[in-house]
Amino acid sequence: MRIALFAAAAVSLMVQAAPATAAPAPIKLWRLDCGTIAANDLNAFSDAKAYTGKRKDLVGSCYLIKHGDAYLLWDAGLPAAMKGKPLDLKIMMDATLTKTVAEQLAELGLKPENINFLGISHYHFDHIGQAADFPGATLLIGKGDFDAVKAGAPGVNPALLAPWVKGTSKADPVSGDRDVFGDGSVTMIDAPGHTPGHHALLVRLKHGTYLLTGDAAHFQENYDSNGVPAYNSSRPDTLTSLDHIKKLAKDRKATVIIQHEAADVAKLPVFPKAAD
């Protein structure tokens, strides 16, 4: 009898001492309008010149993710100075912006200082254009890209990331994959090739998983045919990354969102509504 009482008491103490399992933080995902890009010569996205005589309007997309009380902004769009700029359809490529990121955040009652993390898929100007509006955020960027930015490599404008290049804001260069919040809900996926440190983003919500491709591909036909822009940093890495992204999407049953594909805008709720 006494043994049984001791055993019961021990079990009770173990239950009391065991840490409670934390409930998963609620996640929300918004798509922000980060511009329009007129690709007037679509061969810019094919080193095989597969699109001779074709043009296409692409979208600029940024994404806001709320994880518990923390906010991650994925990509920072075209420079705010391009707001209201008329598109020139006679040059190879041009771009314009309707609303800034900060203006759209304000519609959600947020200010730039509410952004905890600024995740960047890669260093091209249409993805870092408004980054400097968020100097209080920790910059998450592929190490290969951050090294290129600091070195002033061709095709890079370090001024757009000045707070982090100068060291006045915190940068956290990412090598390989990165579980941003430590619970598997938001993961930067190493996908080099477009640039040396290019990343995609896997977002696992309660009602579905989304894979934001960065610029691993720029539009659906490009994605389906494994098209490679001539200006990519590595053709072999691009093809390997595309294969990895496609397999990951299949394995995770993820909805693929090609960030420049206009048709993919409808895969997420219309702002200011969010996916959860």
Side-chain angles (χ1 to χ4, degrees):
M1 180 68 174
R2 293 174 64 185
I3 293 175
L5 288 173
F6 283 137
V11 170
S12 176
L13 286 170
M14 289 172 63
V15 170
Q16 292 176 36
T21 302
I27 311 283
K28 287 186 177 181
L29 171 65
W30 290 265
R31 179 199 176 263
L32 307 181
D33 180 358
C34 280
T36 299
I37 300 164
N40 301 315
D41 180 358
L42 213 53
N43 271 341
F45 303 103
S46 172
D47 59 5
K49 304 297 182 185
Y51 308 115
T52 300
K54 295 183 179 181
R55 70 168 306 279
K56 187 176 179 69
D57 288 332
L58 306 177
V59 296
S61 297
C62 307
Y63 302 87
L64 178 68
I65 297 160
K66 183 179 182 183
H67 179 277
D69 294 326
Y71 287 94
L72 163 70
L73 177 64
W74 179 251
D75 282 338
L78 291 158
M82 302 187 82
K83 181 180 175 180
K85 178 186 176 299
L87 286 173
D88 186 347
L89 302 182
K90 296 179 181 179
I91 60 177
M92 178 179 287
M93 197 171 300
D94 200 13
T96 188
L97 190 67
T98 301
K99 286 185 177 182
T100 67
V101 174
E103 287 170 341
Q104 292 172 81
L105 292 181
E107 294 183 45
L108 299 174
L110 298 174
K111 298 178 180 179
E113 51 264 37
N114 294 128
I115 302 302
N116 306 94
F117 299 97
L118 174 59
I120 297 297
S121 62
H122 64 292
Y123 58 55
H124 287 152
F125 85 104
D126 56 321
H127 292 259
I128 64 171
Q130 298 168 62
D133 290 342
F134 305 91
T138 296
L139 180 69
L140 301 174
I141 185 173
K143 185 179 183 303
D145 275 20
F146 197 49
D147 288 345
V149 170
K150 291 187 294 182
V156 180
N157 183 357
L160 294 175
L161 293 175
W164 300 277
V165 172
K166 293 178 180 178
T168 55
S169 296
K170 181 181 177 182
D172 184 2
V174 176
S175 297
D177 293 351
R178 170 70 66 87
D179 183 343
V180 176
F181 297 107
D183 60 3
S185 60
V186 181
T187 307
M188 291 179 65
I189 304 298
D190 192 30
H194 185 59
T195 60
H198 181 273
H199 277 74
L201 192 73
L202 187 71
V203 184
R204 183 165 57 88
L205 304 176
K206 182 178 180 180
H207 296 111
T209 299
Y210 294 87
L211 183 53
L212 314 178
T213 64
D215 277 8
H218 292 78
F219 48 92
Q220 190 65 51
E221 184 181 349
N222 205 227
Y223 180 82
D224 293 340
S225 64
N226 291 337
V228 180
Y231 60 88
N232 275 20
S233 62
S234 170
R235 185 175 225 280
D237 285 351
T238 299
L239 295 175
T240 298
S241 292
L242 275 168
D243 183 61
H244 177 52
I245 285 172
K246 291 176 181 181
K247 288 179 178 177
L248 183 62
K250 182 178 180 180
D251 178 60
R252 301 295 180 89
K253 296 180 174 59
T255 298
V256 174
I257 296 182
I258 301 168
Q259 292 185 211
H260 284 303
E261 172 57 71
D264 283 8
V265 170
K267 292 180 180 179
L268 285 170
V270 177
F271 185 85
K273 292 184 178 180
D276 57 17

